[in-house]
Amino acid sequence: MHRFLRLSILLAGLFAAVNSFAADATQPALTTEDSLGPVVVQPIEFPHNRHAGLRNPNDPTNSDPLKGGMEIDCMYCHTYARRSAVAGIPPLQKCIGCHQSIETVRDKPRIVELFKYWDAKKPVPWKKVHDLPDFVRFNHERHIKRFVEQQNRPTQEACGYCHGDVKTMTVARRSKALTMGWCASCHQQAHPVTAAGGTPVGNQAYWYSFQKPVAGAQKADVASGDAKAQDTNNVKAQGPNDCWQCHK
């Protein structure tokens, strides 16, 4: 009996101590006041504005890093974006491949730090900025093919739809909400739900309430104002309202 009491007291004390520690521990900020997620501190402050920023027309030699960029295409470094689901982080070898030949910046603190990793044969431990939940699957290849290859839009414009105007940033920062509603609103404007053969079905607002089109449904009277009023006899779920498109 005494052993049972001692064990109960010990467990109660341990439980109280754990709760006290959890309450006092500093919890990481999941979101910020602008709901765009935390500001990510990188091991090296990579200057996107210098690499991807617009050239300075008054500096033809591009010698002043404070007055212009080099307009490097996003996919030169993030190579995987056009052929896989993830955009990828460039290997250190790609950075060194350029900077080992640019003597004018070898003494800059960022480049010195870069070569420290190279000499140590270690990758730069970059941290993810645009981090989606594990249950969300975003396919970069599909979006690059649509906007860049099919619609011939500039790469920076296409990437900027989700990543913001990165060419004006140093370390990248989330500038879009990247929530489910935010993604759906973009698709609803430019990516209609289609029936067999690719023809957009009527009443897009209904399908974008994430109701799955049902094949073989009865025709309804459109004039009746019924939210489901449309011909769905040949409708197949071929739009982004399919949950499995993002939640595989």
Side-chain angles (χ1 to χ4, degrees), residues 157-173:
E157 177 186 326
C159 297
Y161 295 152
C162 297
H163 294 286
D165 196 7
V166 178
K167 68 177 181 295
T168 64
M169 307 177 188
T170 49
V171 173
R173 169 81 202 282

Side-chain angles (χ1 to χ4, degrees), residues 72-110:
I72 297 176
D73 190 280
C74 304
M75 288 189 289
Y76 178 78
C77 295
H78 300 284
T79 311
Y80 307 111
R82 62 176 173 265
R83 60 175 186 264
S84 71
V86 297
I89 297 295
L92 180 56
Q93 184 177 1
K94 175 161 282 190
C95 305
I96 298 298
C98 292
H99 280 284
Q100 66 183 353
S101 303
I102 309 175
E103 295 293 337
T104 55
V105 297
R106 284 292 293 271
D107 60 342
K108 302 295 182 183
R110 293 165 176 161

Side-chain angles (χ1 to χ4, degrees), residues 127-213:
K127 300 175 183 178
K128 199 168 184 178
V129 175
H130 299 84
D131 195 14
L132 297 176
D134 292 341
F135 54 81
V136 177
R137 180 181 183 273
F138 177 86
N139 191 312
H140 280 82
E141 179 185 10
R142 179 176 296 178
H143 289 78
I144 291 298
K145 284 186 179 299
R146 176 181 176 85
F147 293 119
V148 178
E149 297 181 13
Q150 295 176 6
Q151 299 183 4
N152 200 30
R153 300 188 187 183
T155 303
Q156 286 189 353
E157 177 186 326
C159 297
Y161 295 152
C162 297
H163 294 286
D165 196 7
V166 178
K167 68 177 181 295
T168 64
M169 307 177 188
T170 49
V171 173
R173 169 81 202 282
R174 260 177 64 176
S175 60
K176 306 290 184 178
L178 304 185
T179 60
M180 182 173 176
W182 181 85
C183 296
S185 65
C186 182
H187 278 261
Q188 187 171 5
Q189 294 174 24
H191 194 164
V193 180
T194 60
T199 303
V201 299
N203 202 350
Q204 290 286 310
Y206 170 67
W207 298 129
Y208 267 95
S209 65
F210 296 96
Q211 302 291 327
K212 188 178 180 67

Side-chain angles (χ1 to χ4, degrees), residues 92-93 96 113-125:
L92 180 56
Q93 184 177 1
I96 298 298
E113 193 67 22
L114 188 73
F115 274 91
K116 284 182 181 179
Y117 284 103
W118 178 251
D119 293 338
K121 294 180 172 56
K122 294 181 178 179
V124 181

